[in-house]
Amino acid sequence: DDTQAAAIAIRTLLEMGHKNVVVIGGHREYSDITRLRYEGCLQTFREYDIPFEENQYETARFTFDDGYRAAQALMQRNCEFTALFAMSDVMAIGAIRALRDAGKRVPEDVSVMGFDGLTIGEFTIPKLATICQAVDDLAEHSLQLLLRNIETAGKAQHEIIPVCLEWKESARRIN
């Protein structure tokens, strides 16, 4: 549930005291996943009565380089932010590098939250806080569903696999 997963990320940052949050994500008009994650972000900002302007969102491809470039673009806009949510771990890692290159400390100056739960996040400095997808469960459910549909000529189905928040060193509470 990409909408709910993004909502968890934003809700966590807001409840940790961050009111100035920026978001890096994909092209909403081309990607259903990005559109759903963006909607989760917007719903949560509305729920907490916190304005979210279009200039707080930067479009990027799901790469390290684009995460870096997107974070630079957000900083160049002079929008003050204490937290950044990236819709993928690779974008978050690129953003952390851009923040550090600009003299900002993560998480002391800016908290960063990713999305995916990739193993590489365990080895970044700081370790990446992320929304973790149960990739093994996704693969297992997909395979079982495919095999069952082949055997019974079943219809397409949509199953939702829960996500979890992996709290790591790249995000902190502020007051």
Side-chain angles (χ1 to χ4, degrees):
D1 188 343
D2 285 293
T3 304
Q4 184 60 31
I8 290 168
I10 298 298
R11 183 175 302 113
T12 300
L13 292 169
L14 295 177
E15 289 179 355
M16 294 185 65
H18 297 279
K19 303 298 180 224
N20 299 318
V21 180
V22 293
V23 178
I24 297 174
H27 292 275
R28 300 184 308 259
E29 40 304 324
Y30 305 129
S31 166
D32 284 339
I33 290 171
T34 298
R35 184 182 50 75
L36 292 169
R37 291 178 187 177
Y38 183 76
E39 188 55 40
C41 294
L42 290 183
Q43 288 172 6
T44 308
F45 285 120
R46 284 192 294 264
E47 176 185 326
Y48 282 79
D49 199 29
I50 294 179
F52 184 79
E53 304 296 328
E54 189 60 33
N55 73 335
Q56 291 171 261
Y57 184 84
E58 183 63 27
T59 301
R61 292 185 326 259
F62 288 67
T63 67
F64 297 111
D65 289 341
D66 258 31
Y68 187 96
R69 182 206 49 78
Q72 283 183 317
L74 288 164
M75 288 185 285
Q76 289 170 356
R77 282 190 203 130
N78 292 324
C79 38
E80 304 225 357
F81 56 93
T82 61
L84 181 149
F85 170 54
M87 292 187 188
S88 79
D89 286 351
V90 295
M91 286 191 287
I93 292 167
I96 288 172
R97 181 79 256 166
L99 291 164
R100 292 186 64 119
D101 286 353
K104 299 203 181 286
R105 299 168 300 155
V106 176
E108 294 85 354
D109 300 322
V110 178
S111 288
V112 176
M113 173 90 60
F115 194 115
D116 288 324
L118 298 179
T119 303
I120 192 171
E122 289 289 319
F123 297 95
T124 60
I125 299 173
K127 290 182 180 181
L128 184 62
T130 187
I131 298 296
C132 184
Q133 300 186 78
V135 177
D136 291 340
D137 287 347
L138 282 167
E140 180 65 28
H141 277 76
S142 297
L143 180 61
Q144 293 304 318
L145 187 60
L146 177 64
L147 293 174
R148 191 175 28 206
N149 284 347
I150 290 171
E151 291 171 2
T152 64
K155 292 191 235 176
Q157 296 176 11
H158 184 81
E159 292 187 20
I160 295 175
I161 306 297
V163 298
C164 66
L165 173 67
E166 286 192 357
W167 194 253
K168 302 283 175 57
E169 302 162 345
S170 68
R172 73 177 185 98
R173 178 177 301 281
I174 64 171
N175 289 324

